[in-house]
Amino acid sequence: MAPPLRTTSAIATALSIALLSYLLCKKTRSKASSKKTPKTLSVKKARNGLVAAIGNTPLIRINSLSDATGCEILGKAEFLNPGGSVKDRVAVKIIEEALESGALAQGGIITEGSAGSTAISLATVAPAFGCKCHVVIPDDAAIEKSQILEALGATVERVRPVSITHKDHFVNIARRRALEANQVALKHGKGNQNEYLDVKQINGYTSDSGKQDPIFYSDCKGGFFADQFENLANFRAHYEGTGPEIWDQTGGKLDAFIAAAGTGGTVAGVSCFLKEKNANVRCFLIDPPGSGLFNKVTRGVMYTREEAEGRRLKNPFDTITEGIGINRLTENFKLAELDGAFRGTDLEAVEMSRYLLKKDGLFLGSSSAMNCVGAVRVAQALGPGHTIVTILCDSGMRHLSKFYDVGYLSKYGLMPSAVGLEFLGLK
């Protein structure tokens, strides 16, 4: 009987070995399979239309600047908005509030005086609200901005640059155009019949449109002047949107914020929100040549003594940057909570744009480049180990005929030549 026992024992041993081999092979195949099979992506709900796609832009680490300074320099990639710039946020907020208040009729015309980006954003989002757009733009702005506006369906007026105090400054003309649209609408019974549709005044300015030929058709449903410089919807767009996003994306762990100002809405809205969350977050302005805001922040006055004595040129070549720098205080900028300011130069902005393109693959516009100059200045002032956030307003695609044009740069002695960051005192 002994042999059968040995046979049974051998069979049991063989079965155990086979089972163990099967389990080991199955585990190995499972591991291999898990390595080859991509992880299942979480399904996100589609956004409802163009407007819902605006905002919630990425906050990206600018590797070259972070490594060079020892700080974490982060850029809010606003150029990824549908209209290509940070101004998309402002355009949506202005139109939404105007429609809600009744200041803008459904199907009405939004007018704006803009150097380009805000106008492009308004022209981009206006159709989503069933509205049209009429833009007045200075004729020294990059020609591609006018071309984009026309392609988006906006009507475009290019006018010569003059002082804001002149009645034919592009902003003042845009204001008049809204009044004219209201006059045409009421004449033909097309506009809103309410207290907001005032044919004589907009924001305290009286129309003189009777002195010129009307430019709107009889089917016009009224006009609304967006007034990005003074309209606090601009501030609210950043206080309610950009600021909270930056706070969430950094987990509240940031030391400083810096940006240039044109209307002042971005720097005011973001600085106010961040200061409310943490008073120790330091907020700064970077100001281009020809702007008086640096003096206002650092000295309390807009002009130097020489400028105050009337020696300031009426129409100087101030800066190659577009959309930033100004010589008056806007209602938006008045709300900014700033700890200081830095000066940036045109050459620094040009050099920075080429450096970031070469090192990081970032193709940025002039104001974005100036903001990055500011971020490095803050890093140098605070020292290594700090987290600094700035705004990447738009890409270089709207700046080809000036900021990226060799002939234009050569004319003003702004050809880039730096190898690294030596133009800011870094290697």
Side-chain angles (χ1 to χ4, degrees), residues 182-193:
N182 285 345
Q183 289 174 326
V184 171
L186 287 184
K187 181 179 179 180
H188 295 88
K190 299 289 185 180
N192 277 355
Q193 303 299 317

Side-chain angles (χ1 to χ4, degrees), residues 61 81 127 204 224 244 260 354 357 370 377 407:
R61 182 180 190 265
N81 278 308
F224 171 75
R354 276 53 173 188
L357 183 58
M370 187 66 80
R377 291 296 188 205

Side-chain angles (χ1 to χ4, degrees), residues 49-330:
L50 176 85
V51 172
I54 293 171
N56 293 307
T57 53
L59 186 67
I60 62 175
R61 182 180 190 265
I62 304 178
N63 292 329
S64 64
L65 301 185
S66 298
D67 294 343
T69 61
C71 289
E72 287 297 293
I73 295 182
L74 311 176
K76 194 89 165 87
E78 292 297 295
F79 57 84
L80 294 178
N81 278 308
S85 85
V86 67
K87 296 297 186 177
D88 282 12
R89 298 174 183 268
V90 179
V92 168
K93 193 67 172 174
I94 287 175
I95 295 174
E96 285 180 340
E97 290 191 4
L99 287 170
E100 184 178 350
S101 70
L104 173 64
Q106 191 72 36
I109 298 173
I110 303 151
T111 73
E112 183 60 299
S114 168
S117 289
T118 301
I120 290 171
S121 292
L122 284 168
T124 298
V125 304
F129 292 96
C131 296
K132 300 176 181 178
C133 191
H134 180 92
V135 178
V136 185
I137 188 170
D139 63 12
D140 62 347
I143 189 62
E144 54 267 33
K145 293 185 178 181
S146 291
Q147 294 170 334
I148 293 170
L149 285 165
E150 290 171 350
L152 289 170
T155 54
V156 181
E157 282 185 76
R158 290 177 67 88
V159 300
R160 65 186 182 89
V162 293
S163 167
I164 186 65
T165 59
H166 195 288
K167 71 181 183 67
D168 288 331
H169 184 275
F170 62 94
V171 170
N172 297 330
I173 293 176
R175 182 184 288 108
R176 290 203 302 272
R177 294 295 182 247
L179 289 165
E180 292 164 15
N182 285 345
Q183 289 174 326
V184 171
L186 287 184
K187 181 179 179 180
H188 295 88
K190 299 289 185 180
N192 277 355
Q193 303 299 317
N194 62 33
E195 59 186 305
Y196 294 101
L197 195 56
D198 189 341
V199 301
K200 294 182 178 180
Q201 278 198 343
I202 283 185
N203 295 352
Y205 290 81
T206 302
S207 172
D208 62 354
S209 59
K211 300 178 182 178
Q212 56 194 37
D213 295 331
I215 62 172
F216 299 109
Y217 296 109
S218 60
D219 63 349
C220 173
K221 295 182 180 179
F224 171 75
F225 176 46
D227 199 11
Q228 61 166 326
F229 287 88
E230 312 302 334
N231 189 336
L232 293 182
N234 185 344
F235 166 86
R236 288 187 286 272
H238 299 292
Y239 178 80
E240 297 172 8
T242 318
E245 288 174 26
I246 290 172
W247 182 260
D248 290 343
Q249 288 169 324
T250 58
K253 297 179 180 179
L254 74 159
D255 300 290
F257 170 77
I258 186 166
T263 65
T266 305
V267 73
V270 173
S271 66
C272 280
F273 180 84
L274 294 179
K275 289 284 192 181
E276 284 183 11
K277 299 298 288 187
N278 181 356
N280 292 322
V281 176
R282 303 184 69 183
C283 297
F284 299 94
L285 171 79
I286 178 73
D287 211 28
S291 175
L293 295 179
F294 173 83
N295 286 333
K296 182 62 180 177
V297 173
T298 59
R299 305 177 187 176
V301 295
M302 289 292 287
Y303 304 105
T304 64
R305 180 179 299 177
E306 291 77 14
E307 290 169 340
E309 291 174 353
R311 300 179 190 175
R312 184 176 175 80
L313 297 176
K314 294 295 183 183
N315 290 294
F317 170 77
D318 286 333
T319 178
I320 193 175
T321 61
E322 293 186 357
I324 55 174
I326 194 170
N327 281 310
R328 60 187 173 90
L329 289 181
T330 67

Side-chain angles (χ1 to χ4, degrees), residues 327-386:
N327 281 310
R328 60 187 173 90
L329 289 181
T330 67
E331 291 302 314
N332 284 287
F333 187 81
K334 288 177 184 177
L335 298 176
E337 296 187 17
L338 299 174
D339 296 287
F342 298 87
R343 274 282 195 206
T345 69
D346 283 341
L347 185 56
E348 287 171 348
V350 171
E351 293 281 15
M352 178 61 77
S353 68
R354 276 53 173 188
Y355 179 83
L356 292 175
L357 183 58
K358 180 172 62 176
K359 297 293 185 179
D360 299 270
L362 289 170
F363 182 42
L364 301 177
S366 57
S367 56
S368 301
M370 187 66 80
N371 283 348
C372 290
V373 169
V376 172
R377 291 296 188 205
V378 173
Q380 291 172 317
L382 299 184
H386 294 87

